[in-house]
Amino acid sequence: MGSPASASGPPDPPRVAWRKQMRERVLEEAWLLTAEAGWDRVRMADLALRAEVSRPSVYAEFGDRAGVGRALVERETDRFLFSVGAVLESRRDDVGAALTAGVAHALAEAERNPFVTAVVQAARGGTDALLPFLTSRPEPVLSAARELVNVWLGTVTADVPPRMRAEAADVVVRLTISHMLSPSPHPSSAPERIASVGCALLSASGTARFR
C-alpha cells in the first residue's frame, strides 16, 4: 500500500499552491465583508488589503469584482447544496419526509448563515448587486439545486418518468427560493407545503404514491 502522499498525487508546485491559497483568502474576506455590510460595500481594494495580496493579483485571478461575486456564490452554493444533499440522503426511505427536511434545512440556513442572510435581506430591500447571481440568472444556484434534487429523486423514485421528476425538482427548488426571499406568514408549515407540491407532481404520473 502506498503512502497517503503518493495516493493523492504529487503536491502542487509552489506557485500553484500560493494561487489557491490566495484565491481562498480573497473569497473568505469577500464572504466576511458581504456578511458584515452586504455585497454593495465590497471593494477590490478592501479585499486585497484584508487578504494581504496585491490588487493586480486579485484582478488577475478573478478578472473583476463581478468575477469575485461569481466565484463566491459558486463556493457557497457547493457548500450549501452538499449539506442539503446530506439531509435528503438521511431520509431516503421516505420521499415526503426527505423533501420536507431538505426544504426546512435550506430555509433555516438562509436565516443562520450570515452570508446567505445578508444577500436575502438585501434582496428584500432590492439593493444588493450580488442578488442576480442567486436569483435571476439560471446559474449557478437554481440549476445546481434543481440538478441535485432531480438526481436524488432519480435514485429513490426510479418508477417515476424522468420528465415528472424534473418538474417536481424544479417546482420544489423555485418555491424554496421564493420562500427565502419572501417568507410565508406561517413559515413553520412552509417546508411541508412545498414538499407536498413536489410529491403531488411525482404522484401525477400514476406509477407511485407519495405522502
Side-chain angles (χ1 to χ4, degrees), residues 20-40:
K20 288 181 178 179
Q21 293 170 3
M22 180 271 292
R23 180 181 180 86
E24 185 59 27
R25 288 202 306 272
V26 171
L27 290 178
E28 190 62 24
E29 294 302 334
W31 187 95
L32 291 170
L33 282 171
T34 302
E36 292 168 4
W39 178 252
D40 284 340

Side-chain angles (χ1 to χ4, degrees), residues 145-178:
R146 185 170 49 210
E147 179 69 10
L148 168 72
V149 177
N150 189 29
V151 169
W152 180 80
L153 286 175
T155 69
V156 296
T157 62
D159 54 341
V160 175
R163 181 181 64 82
M164 300 302 295
R165 292 199 302 264
E167 185 173 348
D170 181 65
V171 168
V172 167
V173 169
R174 289 183 185 276
L175 286 175
T176 301
I177 291 179
S178 176

Side-chain angles (χ1 to χ4, degrees), residues 18-19 22-27 29-30 39 42-69 71:
W18 177 87
R19 180 177 175 181
M22 180 271 292
R23 180 181 180 86
E24 185 59 27
R25 288 202 306 272
V26 171
L27 290 178
E29 294 302 334
W39 178 252
V42 175
R43 299 290 180 266
M44 297 292 271
D46 295 333
L47 292 178
L49 180 63
R50 290 175 58 138
E52 299 181 340
V53 297
S54 68
R55 288 178 64 182
S57 294
V58 178
Y59 279 104
E61 179 65 25
F62 296 98
D64 54 18
R65 183 171 173 273
V68 176

